[in-house]
Amino acid sequence: MRPRSFKPMKSGDCRQKYMILTVTILALCLPSPGYAQQQCTNGFDLDRSSGQCLDIDECRTIPEACRGDMMCVNQNGGYLCIPRTNPVYRGPYSNPYSNPYSGPYPAAAPPLSAPNYPTISRPLICRFGYQMDESNQCVDVNECATENPCVQTCVNTYGSFICRCDPGYELEDDGVHCSDMDECSFSEFLCQHECVNQPGTYFCSCPPGYILLDDNRSCQDINECEHGNHTCNLQQTCYNLQGGFKCIDPIRCEEPYLRISDNRCMCPAENPGCRDQPFTILYRDMDVVSGRSVPADIFQMQATTRYPGAYYIFQIKSGNEGREFYMRQTGPISATLVMTRPIKGPRDIQLDLEMITVNTVINFRGSSVIRLRIYVSQYPF
């Protein structure tokens, strides 16, 4: 049979029982009874709408086509796996079958058999944080159970993990290590006296003479005099203070005074030396905490007897050189000692509070003194 002249083929027309040979890729039309059936070589797929063999992008169709740090690069009829650290430029390529030739075809070449390319087995791989199980399924890797990279607590997540720290610790910038949290630096009000930081926690401490209350932050005074935990002898009187105690010696009345009780001295009126002296001196003791808020009423003084025609004057006779106190008269026969400045302890202060009695009816003027000993504690509680 003589070869015929070629006519342009329509898309998908294989009625012409001839093959088409391209420069780089071979697609065959094999003769068969009735209609011809077109086949494509490995790496190409038949486009039924155009009847052309188009390249298959394995990088998109094959899950995880390349392992580990390898990057998939599509090629005509196949693909390459190249290192990500040294990527190769993936330039555009042209599919030889994407633009079919529309002109006259050359004479048909002798039929060729379709090449049989070997099929490459591509093993499945899982993304980072997963591993293949017996059913070829990617399952999560529990890093906390295998290697536990965290210093304290490891929490497994899908494909990864997170580290958490115990109470009293905070996570460092590396996301793995934990460092102690200094709770004492957060606030000065955590403890009434002193905050002591420890790894993962803190505790409050109290100074000698105090005990820590059940709230674990407040301090309460220990009454050494009541519990017998003092060093006073039998002649002394134990006086409890905030955080301590005082051993008070018996009073000694100086001449011309006479001791008439445990805390009172009297100057007899018949003694000429008592003419310009207070008639009585009464000893009193009290304590205040260091830095007490001011102004504060701390002591009250009052006449025990009121005579007709008499009035009373109250004043601080001695011991107020620092101007830390003043007397405020609150009634005809009473006055209050007011602290006007905060006093830091420990400190002992002695004030002579004088009450002057004036009687214009009988032309009398006399006075009595309360010798007030104030003990300022070392701490403000």
Side-chain angles (χ1 to χ4, degrees):
M1 180 185 294
R2 293 183 303 172
R4 300 178 183 178
S5 60
F6 282 84
K7 295 181 181 180
M9 292 179 62
K10 295 182 180 180
S11 174
D13 190 1
C14 287
R15 298 173 187 177
Q16 306 292 336
K17 299 179 180 180
Y18 304 98
M19 71 173 181
I20 301 173
L21 180 65
T22 65
V23 179
T24 58
I25 306 299
L26 187 63
L28 299 178
C29 290
L30 300 179
S32 62
Y35 290 96
Q37 184 177 9
Q38 184 171 339
Q39 294 181 349
C40 299
T41 59
N42 291 344
F44 293 86
D45 195 11
L46 178 64
D47 184 5
R48 297 187 179 278
S49 63
S50 63
Q52 306 300 319
C53 291
L54 303 181
D55 172 66
I56 298 174
D57 189 349
E58 291 86 348
C59 296
R60 293 186 178 179
T61 59
I62 301 177
E64 305 291 336
C66 297
R67 288 176 174 273
D69 293 329
M70 304 299 287
M71 180 175 66
C72 181
V73 179
N74 188 56
Q75 300 288 315
N76 285 334
Y79 69 97
L80 296 176
C81 290
I82 61 174
R84 295 181 183 272
T85 57
N86 188 19
V88 178
Y89 172 70
R90 183 183 178 185
Y93 62 88
S94 59
N95 190 329
Y97 295 97
S98 61
N99 296 313
Y101 178 67
S102 61
Y105 291 96
L112 297 177
S113 60
N116 185 16
Y117 296 107
T119 302
I120 301 176
S121 177
R122 303 181 179 95
L124 298 176
I125 61 172
C126 299
R127 67 174 65 181
F128 183 80
Y130 293 83
Q131 64 183 3
M132 193 75 65
D133 63 2
E134 296 177 354
S135 304
N136 291 333
Q137 300 293 327
C138 290
V139 295
D140 173 59
V141 176
N142 189 345
E143 296 86 354
C144 299
T146 56
E147 54 188 73
N148 191 11
C150 302
V151 173
Q152 291 188 354
T153 304
C154 180
V155 180
N156 186 59
T157 61
Y158 288 110
S160 184
F161 66 94
I162 57 175
C163 295
R164 291 181 178 174
C165 297
D166 298 336
Y169 293 87
E170 56 186 351
L171 194 64
E172 295 184 0
D173 294 337
D174 60 5
V176 175
H177 293 84
C178 297
S179 59
D180 174 56
M181 185 185 303
D182 187 2
E183 297 87 350
C184 296
S185 64
F186 294 164
S187 173
E188 61 180 358
F189 301 106
L190 284 177
C191 300
Q192 188 176 32
H193 176 58
E194 183 180 8
C195 179
V196 180
N197 185 61
Q198 286 188 330
T201 184
Y202 74 96
F203 68 90
C204 298
S205 67
C206 296
Y210 294 86
I211 58 172
L212 190 66
L213 294 179
D214 293 338
D215 61 3
N216 292 324
R217 68 165 302 272
S218 303
C219 298
Q220 185 181 55
D221 171 59
I222 299 174
N223 192 332
E224 294 85 356
C225 299
E226 184 178 294
H227 293 87
N229 186 21
H230 59 82
T231 58
C232 301
N233 57 39
L234 296 177
Q235 288 74 34
Q236 294 176 322
T237 301
C238 181
Y239 186 84
N240 185 67
L241 309 174
Q242 293 297 313
F245 62 93
K246 283 282 186 181
C247 293
I248 302 176
D249 295 321
I251 64 171
R252 293 181 179 180
C253 301
E254 300 179 357
E255 290 290 340
Y257 286 88
L258 301 175
R259 178 179 172 180
I260 59 175
S261 68
D262 291 342
N263 64 341
R264 187 187 297 267
C265 296
M266 184 186 68
C267 197
E270 59 273 14
N271 190 332
C274 296
R275 180 173 300 179
D276 298 325
Q277 298 296 327
F279 178 65
T280 58
I281 300 177
L282 179 66
Y283 288 83
R284 293 289 190 185
D285 300 285
M286 69 171 297
D287 64 290
V288 297
V289 295
S290 177
R292 178 172 175 173
S293 59
V294 293
D297 298 347
I298 63 172
F299 188 80
Q300 188 173 17
M301 188 175 183
Q302 182 174 327
T304 57
T305 304
R306 184 174 183 180
Y307 298 99
Y311 63 90
Y312 302 91
I313 301 172
F314 298 90
Q315 64 181 12
I316 301 176
K317 186 175 182 180
S318 64
N320 193 28
E321 291 77 12
R323 304 289 181 180
E324 297 157 325
F325 306 90
Y326 81 93
M327 293 293 293
R328 184 183 73 244
Q329 190 151 347
T330 55
I333 60 172
S334 62
T336 300
L337 178 66
V338 182
M339 185 169 65
T340 59
R341 296 181 183 179
I343 302 174
K344 298 295 181 181
R347 181 180 169 188
D348 294 346
I349 302 172
Q350 180 173 289
L351 299 177
D352 279 357
L353 310 180
E354 185 177 31
M355 181 185 69
I356 302 174
T357 304
V358 179
N359 194 324
T360 57
V361 176
I362 59 175
N363 194 19
F364 171 82
R365 182 183 178 93
S367 68
S368 297
V369 168
I370 294 180
R371 185 155 291 169
L372 182 63
R373 294 175 291 197
I374 304 173
Y375 309 111
V376 185
S377 67
Q378 183 176 354
Y379 303 102
F381 49 84

